[in-house]
Amino acid sequence: MALSVVIGVVLARSLDPAERGVYAVALTLTAVPAIVASAGLETAALRTAKCDQVADVLGLVVRRLVVVTGVVLALVVVVLLAPIAVLGLSGPQLIICLVSIPPVVAVQLYGNAILGLQHWWVWVAATITNAVTYLTVTVVLATTGWAGVASYQLAFLAGYLVALVCLLRAVRGHPHNLRAGRTSAVANTASRARSITISQAFFMRVQVPLLQLLSSTTAVGLFAVASPVADLLLVLPVAAGTILLPRYYSVETTPAAVRRNGLRIAVLTAAVGTLTALLAPWLVPLLYGADYFGAVLVLQIMVPGVVLFAYARVMQSYLISRSRYSPVLWASVLAVVVSVGVQLAATPALGAVGAALAVSAGFATMFAVICSVRVRDEKCE
């Protein structure tokens, strides 16, 4: 994520706010379909891979990737035969978005399977290699005069392809059960977690296309500068939740210990978030340029919501480990409803600030719902 922030600086320095907004839309049109395509199975891979179910996990991953690749190829043919523009993207830019989806899905699914097996060093190597490749290619493009939306899309794709090679090398020695049925524990977890993943992905990504529709690409550009910094603040809670989910699933723990974990993560996130908010008026124009000063307030508004989510993310991992999917799903769906409602009301007048208010409102809703659930001692199913 730190390397991603550096990439964001390079992008902002080589693109004007409107072009940066178009690039943010392009990434969204890759990320959202990829998240939907991996929905449920990424949680199942993380939760069950260690519990003697790795063959089922990897078999279902291969089957999912075959389906995703087939759908993407069909859509590419459609775009080639009937050139269209979507949210300001040209036909070639849209094709790059589509072609990038299978590698992103593969990295997500194989990465979570490897984390579930607790081979964390492989995941770390693949993730850092991804970011370093993306950064290196981006810097080369920016310094040689090839800066542009399509070229940066290809840099993004290159990072994922390199990461995928690392992950495939790590899983090639593991068995793949290509006939894993729908009654398997992996498939059952994937089915029950799918709606949660899709709703949370929609909540995290809907602001960019809504900004494009309700405001301007310049507003999207400002939001695209603030959003990666807020994502950097999410690293700690998301990493903690990712590590704790398989641990909660395979090892008995107490609700009091879960709450302590959540509080520690929230306090650390609050400390870093406060420092970030205080330094933002100085750092944003220094790093990104004076044209992006409007991103300061956008970032500051998102920080309180991130802190609330830090606590809720740990609680979410515990609830999923105990097969209590309903409260997490309700929290995610309500977060989407509240976030979209706030953005529809605030964005036409406030632009990127309205999107920031929508993000914080959604995080606060997720926190309120998840933390209202009575957490009790239960054995995992």
Side-chain angles (χ1 to χ4, degrees):
M1 291 303 301
L3 290 172
S4 295
V5 171
V6 177
I7 293 168
V9 172
V10 176
L11 294 174
R13 290 290 184 176
S14 58
L15 300 173
D16 62 40
E19 291 174 319
R20 183 66 183 88
V22 173
Y23 183 62
V25 172
L27 291 186
T28 300
L29 290 183
T30 295
V32 171
I35 293 171
V36 171
S38 62
L41 187 52
E42 93 293 354
T43 300
L46 180 64
R47 182 177 188 254
T48 61
K50 188 183 178 184
C51 299
D52 299 323
Q53 294 163 344
V54 64
D56 287 353
V57 168
L58 296 179
L60 289 171
V61 167
V62 171
R63 286 163 53 181
R64 181 73 61 88
L65 289 174
V66 169
V67 173
V68 170
T69 302
V71 172
V72 164
L73 289 176
L75 291 174
V76 168
V77 171
V78 170
V79 174
L80 288 173
L81 294 177
I84 56 175
V86 177
L87 294 175
L89 297 179
S90 65
Q93 292 167 348
L94 185 56
I95 289 175
I96 299 174
C97 288
L98 293 170
V99 172
S100 301
I101 292 172
V104 174
V105 172
V107 169
Q108 175 71 29
L109 295 179
Y110 281 123
N112 275 26
I114 285 171
L115 281 174
L117 291 168
Q118 296 193 352
H119 298 335
W120 58 267
W121 57 92
V122 178
W123 182 88
V124 168
T127 302
I128 293 177
T129 302
N130 183 347
V132 169
T133 302
Y134 184 20
L135 174 60
T136 301
V137 178
T138 299
V139 170
V140 170
L141 292 171
T143 55
T144 56
W146 286 92
V149 174
S151 59
Y152 285 153
Q153 285 180 274
L154 293 174
F156 174 83
L157 175 59
Y160 270 91
L161 290 174
V162 172
L164 181 57
V165 171
C166 297
L167 296 174
L168 289 176
R169 289 171 60 90
V171 301
R172 63 183 178 181
H174 291 282
H176 291 60
N177 179 15
L178 297 176
R179 296 185 177 182
R182 294 183 178 181
T183 59
S184 68
V186 179
N188 181 57
T189 297
S191 176
R192 299 179 68 182
R194 184 179 298 116
S195 297
I196 294 172
T197 301
I198 292 175
S199 57
Q200 290 190 351
F202 189 77
F203 161 64
M204 295 295 291
R205 301 290 182 175
V206 71
Q207 292 82 23
V208 167
L210 276 181
L211 260 180
Q212 179 79 339
L213 292 171
L214 299 172
S215 186
S216 64
T217 52
T218 299
V220 176
L222 295 177
F223 185 80
V225 164
S227 185
V229 181
D231 289 344
L232 185 60
L233 298 177
L234 287 171
V235 167
L236 184 60
V238 170
T242 301
I243 293 168
L244 290 171
L245 175 53
R247 184 177 301 175
Y248 287 157
Y249 180 68
S250 58
V251 179
E252 287 298 318
T253 189
T254 65
V258 176
R259 295 189 189 96
R260 283 196 300 271
N261 287 337
L263 185 59
R264 288 167 181 160
I265 297 302
V267 169
L268 288 172
T269 305
V272 178
T274 300
L275 182 62
T276 302
L278 292 174
L279 293 178
W282 174 69
L283 283 178
V284 169
L286 175 67
L287 295 176
Y288 297 96
D291 289 343
Y292 291 91
F293 186 79
V296 172
L297 181 57
V298 177
L299 173 60
Q300 291 171 334
I301 291 173
M302 286 193 283
V303 168
V306 170
V307 174
L308 292 176
F309 177 75
Y311 183 87
R313 185 64 177 79
V314 175
M315 301 299 293
Q316 173 181 311
S317 292
Y318 178 76
L319 292 172
I320 290 177
S321 75
R322 295 302 186 257
S323 299
R324 299 181 66 185
Y325 298 94
S326 284
V328 180
L329 176 58
W330 275 110
S332 304
V333 171
L334 289 174
V336 171
V337 172
V338 170
S339 181
V340 170
V342 171
Q343 189 161 1
L344 289 174
T347 294
L350 301 177
V353 171
L357 290 170
V359 170
S360 270
F363 279 141
T365 301
M366 200 174 298
F367 168 83
V369 176
I370 288 179
C371 294
S372 68
V373 178
R374 180 171 174 263
V375 178
R376 55 185 181 272
D377 291 296
E378 296 173 343
K379 294 182 178 179
C380 61
E381 298 178 5

